[in-house]
């Protein structure tokens, strides 16, 4: 499994992915899932992938080689596509093409066509955008109301994003919150793990501000994990204890009825 998150904010884009893949508890490997297509000063496009590794690698390879535009007959790649919307359409077309060639064989062997991709970036003269592409090739886009998208094992890391991320969040703060979200996922799911790949792209920069891989033992990430755990413990300890006492409400009514039924049963037993 995997966990990838993209955050599209006012100041730019943050994308983070883990690298763990597994086919059983004794077959764990490391593969890059965050891929960059960049021409400094002109465009920077990132794709994070989750799902069946053979499918995601086929999609990425197809995007690197390019696909023929049926209208013009020219090769389309993420390096010459004119807009991010067209890029999302191209990624969706690549997913459908891989399904056309591999889908029936996978289904014949009871293997589902499992793939999801986050596509984010900016092309010069166009606005920055973030999409999530599904296994059918269709996609949705992050908005100001929902400025982040997740794929893979997202449920463990979602609560921190829901509480802490807004469209106005600073990029450095967003990166920190994204790493906390990743740590929360790693704590609860062993199928997600280090190393982590991350990218930060500032609005209208067209060149990544940060591209980095976090390995096991990374000082900052270890400090972040420890600080977050301590902060959680301190926070819940600072909240007053629940004031509730005794038995009241529907449960109490049910209990009293049950006791009454028991007493009636005992009386009828004695009469016999």
């Amino acid at each position: 499994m995997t966990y990838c998150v993209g955050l599209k904010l006012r100041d730019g884009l943050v994308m983070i992915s883990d690298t763990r893949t597994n086919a059983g508890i004794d077959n764990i490997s490391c593969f890059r899932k965050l891929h960059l297509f960049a021409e400094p000063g002109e465009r920077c496009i990132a794709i994070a992938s989750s799902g069946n590794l053979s499918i995601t690698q086929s999609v990425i390879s197809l995007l690197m080689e390019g696909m023929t535009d049926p209208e013009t007959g020219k090769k389309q790649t993420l390096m010459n596509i004119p807009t991010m919307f067209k890029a999302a359409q191209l990624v969706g077309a690549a997913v459908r093409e891989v399904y056309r060639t591999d889908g029936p064989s996978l289904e014949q062997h009871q293997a589902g066509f499992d793939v999801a991709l986050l596509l984010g970036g900016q092309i010069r003269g166009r606005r920055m955008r973030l999409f999530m592409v599904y296994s059918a090739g269709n996609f949705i886009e992050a908005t100001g109301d929902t400025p982040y998208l997740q794929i893979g094992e997202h449920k463990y890391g979602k609560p921190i994003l829901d509480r802490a991320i807004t469209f106005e969040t600073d990029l450095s703060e967003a990166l920190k919150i994204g790493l906390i979200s990743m740590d929360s996922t790693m704590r609860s799911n062993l199928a997600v793990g280090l190393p982590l790949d991350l990218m930060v792209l500032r609005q209208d920069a067209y060149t990544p501000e940060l591209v980095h891989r976090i390995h096991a033992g990374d000082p900052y990430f270890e400090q972040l994990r420890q600080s977050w755990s301590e902060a959680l413990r301190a926070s819940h300890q600072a909240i007053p204890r629940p004031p509730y006492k005794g038995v009241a409400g529907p449960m109490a009514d049910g209990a009293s009825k049950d006791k009454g039924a028991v007493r009636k049963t005992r009386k009828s037993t004695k009469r016999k």
Side-chain angles (χ1 to χ4, degrees):
M1 294 300 295
T2 189
Y3 175 47
C4 304
V5 59
L7 302 103
K8 165 61 179 68
L9 311 168
R10 181 178 297 280
D11 293 336
L13 176 71
V14 176
M15 294 186 71
I16 309 172
S17 78
D18 82 316
T19 57
R20 178 169 291 183
T21 63
N22 68 294
I25 59 174
D26 59 347
N27 186 11
I28 296 174
S29 302
C30 175
F31 285 88
R32 179 176 291 277
K33 303 171 189 175
L34 182 61
H35 309 271
L36 293 182
F37 299 79
E39 182 181 350
E42 291 298 324
R43 69 180 61 211
C44 180
I45 299 174
I47 298 180
S49 59
S50 73
N52 184 301
L53 184 61
S54 69
I55 298 172
T56 61
Q57 288 187 338
S58 294
V59 171
I60 296 299
S61 296
L62 189 55
L63 290 169
M64 294 178 69
E65 291 186 0
M67 298 184 65
T68 302
D69 186 339
E71 296 182 0
T72 64
K74 296 181 179 180
K75 281 278 188 180
Q76 287 186 322
T77 73
L78 292 176
M79 299 304 294
N80 64 19
I81 207 77
T83 69
M84 285 302 300
F85 179 74
K86 289 289 186 181
Q89 289 183 318
L90 182 64
V91 173
V95 170
R96 287 190 291 271
E97 177 61 19
V98 173
Y99 177 78
R100 186 185 68 81
T101 57
D102 296 348
S105 177
L106 288 168
E107 292 171 356
Q108 185 178 356
H109 290 82
Q110 287 77 51
F113 189 81
D114 180 22
V115 60
L117 303 131
L118 294 181
L119 169 73
Q122 188 175 18
I123 298 170
R124 178 171 287 278
R126 304 288 183 170
R127 62 190 176 95
M128 181 176 286
R129 303 178 80 170
L130 173 66
F131 300 93
M132 178 164 64
V133 183
Y134 297 100
S135 57
N138 57 322
F139 52 85
I140 63 170
E141 182 176 5
T143 67
D145 292 328
T146 305
Y148 69 85
L149 295 172
Q150 304 166 279
I151 55 176
E153 288 292 327
H154 62 272
K155 56 184 176 292
Y156 303 106
K158 190 174 187 295
I160 177 63
L161 300 178
D162 285 339
R163 290 179 180 271
I165 289 293
T166 71
F167 184 66
E168 305 293 336
T169 303
D170 174 78
L171 283 181
S172 295
E173 190 71 13
L175 176 58
K176 179 175 65 175
I177 295 168
L179 290 174
I180 292 173
S181 173
M182 184 65 71
D183 172 60
S184 299
T185 303
M186 291 167 57
R187 290 269 183 171
S188 300
N189 192 321
L190 294 177
V192 178
L194 295 167
L196 306 179
D197 287 321
L198 57 92
M199 185 211 71
V200 177
L201 176 65
R202 194 164 290 275
Q203 181 79 26
D204 297 328
Y206 310 108
T207 302
E209 182 173 291
L210 176 66
V211 177
H212 185 69
R213 171 165 283 193
I214 296 176
H215 293 276
D218 180 271
Y220 175 77
F221 191 62
E222 290 300 318
Q223 180 187 6
L224 177 142
R225 303 184 78 175
Q226 181 178 351
S227 297
W228 179 243
S229 295
E230 293 174 352
L232 282 176
R233 284 193 291 270
S235 179
H236 79 71
Q237 289 172 359
I239 298 173
R241 292 185 178 184
Y244 318 117
K245 296 180 180 179
V247 179
M251 290 182 64
D253 294 340
S256 62
K257 290 178 182 178
D258 290 342
K259 289 178 181 178
V262 170
R263 284 195 294 268
K264 290 180 181 179
T265 303
R266 287 176 178 172
K267 288 181 180 179
S268 62
T269 303
K270 289 180 181 179
R271 290 170 185 170
K272 290 179 180 179

